[in-house]
Amino acid sequence: MIQNTVLALLPVLTVLLVSVLTKRALLGLFAGTIVGAVLLGGWGFFDTLVGTFGASLSNETVHWLALVVVLFGILIAYFNASGAVSDFATWTERFVNSRRKSLLLTWLLTVALFIDDYLNALTVGTSMKRVTDRYGVPRTMLGTIVKLTSAPIAVIIPFSTWAVFFSALLEQDGVTVNGSGFGAYLQGLPFVFFGWFALIIGLLLALGLLPLVGPLRREQLRVDRTGDTLQPGLTEEERAFELAGTESDGRRALPYNFLIPIVTLVTVTILTEVDIVKGTAAAVLVAIILYVSQRRMKIREVFEQAFEGIMSMGYVMVLFVLAFMIQQMNMDLQLAEWVIGATEPVMSGALLPAVVFLVCGVYAYATGSFWDLAAVITPVVLPLAMAMGVDPVLAGTAVFSGAALGSTTCMYGDGIILASKSVGVRPINLMLSILPYAGAAAVLSFIAYLIAGFAMAG
């Protein structure tokens, strides 16, 4: 059994290396699971692989995510078949008449749907891709702005799913203000540096005040040359799905055909204590009633398009299963314990917040675990901070910032997978486009934690 050694990094490194070299996230994840199975099971690696596959399939989170993406796939298929998305895109011409305004609206919508990063990543990409297509915005650019904003806004608004979870972690470990972990979270909000920096960088990118660099610049040059905003390499079926509903059939544009289901989704999600499954199911039901009553869809099409929507999400569901296999193997290989052990010698005094942010960010990026990461590391970091005279609230915010960094950048994390599906690109392409900007936010955050650590040292 290979545990608590540097070899525990091999599955993660394999995933990243194969994915980047082949531009195929599925191939990278599969290669990583093979390496992890060999490390864990030796000659019996096949049994280990099958066992981990079964554990991933039986994971409640995988079931929940599968239900979310299936329902959203059905909703998107209904939008396309009824022309609701093209109607919404036509309607936005009244107040969105430039590239900058289309991207600014994307950023504002992502901020407005702060309640959960799944909700805004799925909804905003679907809402805005037809709009930004009109102005030659690459789909990877749209996805970059959405993902640079979705997790960061969720972590800095205190009434989101992220804030509720992290507040509970603080209270559980005895870090409270006015008797509650929520009070401690509120006090720490100014120090969730990655959230603030990523949010600002996303806004500046939307406004055109930051230059396009790396893959994003190359993709923009390609779009300028060809006029095709869709990512190269999509299959004919994927291209057809992404372009469905863009042609006008002469009917009057009815923006409420898109807006009513989306408002239903958001409202029901909030009223049911952030249950996205119930919110999406309600939106699907409302969409069926609207489109059938207007004769934009027949009863037979309701079932046909539901099937099409489910099939369109098959790739995403396979990604989730493989991603959870990798996460389980990382736990079995005790990767978290190895990372903590390797960095513990420099986790001292004023350096603690910066080191914690760096460790959590790298670990979250490498593993695709964000809330799991916080649940594992917070009980270690907070007592350590108190023992060293470091403000535990500051140390806690470093953990939460690291989790947000991972969610924003990890190719096989659920956030990137959902956002890439909503805008119609591959997870690897979206990750590579985001990295330069998220990396800049991470560097600024690391410096800010260094300054705060020395300024607030006990």
Side-chain angles (χ1 to χ4, degrees):
M1 188 71 69
I2 299 176
Q3 296 173 322
N4 283 329
T5 74
V6 71
L7 290 177
L9 287 170
L10 279 181
V12 171
L13 295 177
T14 301
V15 171
L16 296 175
L17 185 62
V18 174
S19 297
V20 171
L21 291 178
T22 65
K23 298 294 191 292
R24 295 289 184 272
L26 277 179
L27 185 58
L29 283 168
F30 182 69
T33 60
I34 296 295
V35 171
V38 170
L39 289 176
L40 288 166
W43 290 109
F45 73 92
F46 185 75
D47 291 337
T48 302
L49 191 66
V50 172
T52 309
F53 178 68
S56 182
L57 286 179
S58 62
N59 186 291
E60 289 184 4
T61 303
V62 172
H63 296 168
W64 182 83
L65 284 169
L67 194 52
V68 170
V69 298
V70 161
L71 286 169
F72 216 89
I74 294 171
L75 185 61
I76 293 171
Y78 288 166
F79 284 159
N80 289 339
S82 67
V85 174
S86 58
D87 282 0
F88 176 76
T90 301
W91 175 69
T92 61
E93 290 177 354
R94 299 180 182 183
F95 51 92
V96 174
N97 53 15
S98 69
R99 172 192 174 93
R100 177 177 292 183
K101 287 181 180 178
S102 72
L103 292 175
L104 180 59
L105 180 59
T106 298
W107 186 85
L108 290 172
L109 281 176
T110 312
V111 169
L113 297 174
F114 64 84
I115 194 74
D116 186 79
D117 62 321
Y118 290 169
L119 179 64
N120 53 23
L122 281 167
T123 305
V124 178
T126 303
S127 306
M128 293 303 300
K129 58 188 175 185
R130 305 290 190 265
V131 181
T132 55
D133 282 351
R134 288 201 303 254
Y135 302 104
V137 176
R139 292 289 182 89
T140 48
M141 174 73 164
L142 173 63
T144 295
I145 290 175
V146 169
K147 204 66 201 78
L148 274 174
T149 312
S150 60
I153 192 65
V155 82
I156 63 176
I157 296 291
F159 306 104
S160 68
T161 51
W162 285 62
V164 170
F165 179 73
F166 291 152
S167 297
L169 287 181
L170 290 171
E171 189 162 332
Q172 176 182 305
D173 290 298
V175 178
T176 62
V177 172
N178 297 324
S180 75
F182 183 72
Y185 193 85
L186 286 176
Q187 181 175 295
L189 283 181
F191 305 107
V192 185
F193 293 124
F194 180 79
W196 293 110
F197 284 127
L199 205 60
I200 292 168
I201 287 174
L203 176 59
L204 294 176
L205 190 60
L207 292 173
L209 300 179
L210 283 181
L212 301 185
V213 297
L216 209 52
R217 181 175 182 275
R218 291 192 293 273
E219 185 66 2
Q220 185 64 65
L221 291 173
R222 184 195 64 79
V223 173
D224 292 342
R225 186 175 67 255
T226 65
D228 183 6
T229 59
L230 294 183
Q231 173 192 319
L234 296 179
T235 66
E236 288 301 317
E237 291 80 6
E238 288 170 329
R239 289 186 66 85
F241 186 81
E242 286 301 318
L243 295 173
T246 58
E247 298 297 328
S248 173
D249 57 6
R251 291 181 298 195
R252 182 167 63 93
L254 301 175
Y256 60 76
N257 275 349
F258 180 81
L259 294 174
I260 289 176
I262 291 297
V263 170
T264 300
L265 191 159
V266 175
T267 303
V268 174
T269 297
I270 293 172
L271 293 179
T272 55
E273 298 181 350
V274 198
D275 191 329
I276 300 176
V277 171
K278 292 179 181 177
T280 312
V284 168
L285 181 60
V286 167
I288 292 172
I289 294 171
L290 273 175
Y291 307 152
V292 171
S293 64
Q294 296 171 12
R295 298 184 179 179
R296 291 203 168 197
M297 289 177 63
K298 299 176 182 178
I299 295 296
R300 177 174 55 82
E301 289 180 291
V302 169
F303 294 101
E304 290 176 349
Q305 292 301 321
F307 179 75
E308 290 293 326
I310 293 170
M311 294 303 293
S312 74
M313 292 295 182
Y315 174 79
V316 175
M317 287 187 280
V318 173
L319 275 182
F320 276 136
V321 171
L322 289 173
F324 274 82
M325 287 178 69
I326 287 290
Q327 289 182 26
Q328 182 60 50
M329 288 176 175
N330 287 334
M331 291 173 61
D332 292 342
L333 289 166
Q334 299 180 3
L335 179 59
E337 289 82 349
W338 179 82
V339 170
I340 293 171
T343 54
E344 206 165 18
V346 292
M347 280 193 181
S348 58
L351 292 175
L352 181 68
V355 173
V356 166
F357 168 70
L358 183 62
V359 169
C360 290
V362 171
Y363 179 75
Y365 170 76
T367 63
S369 296
F370 316 124
W371 287 16
D372 297 352
L373 154 85
V376 169
I377 292 187
T378 303
V380 176
V381 166
L382 296 184
L384 189 61
M386 288 185 274
M388 293 180 174
V390 177
D391 185 343
V393 172
L394 177 63
T397 64
V399 175
F400 309 150
S401 279
L405 170 59
S407 177
T408 303
T409 55
C410 179
M411 176 192 68
Y412 46 90
D414 40 25
I416 287 275
I417 292 173
L418 293 176
S420 64
K421 181 60 184 178
S422 76
V423 299
V425 301
R426 301 291 190 203
I428 180 68
N429 296 84
L430 183 54
M431 181 196 76
L432 293 174
S433 297
I434 288 171
L435 277 180
Y437 303 98
V443 169
L444 292 171
S445 301
F446 182 77
I447 294 170
Y449 279 117
L450 278 176
I451 295 171
F454 280 100
M456 300 172 65

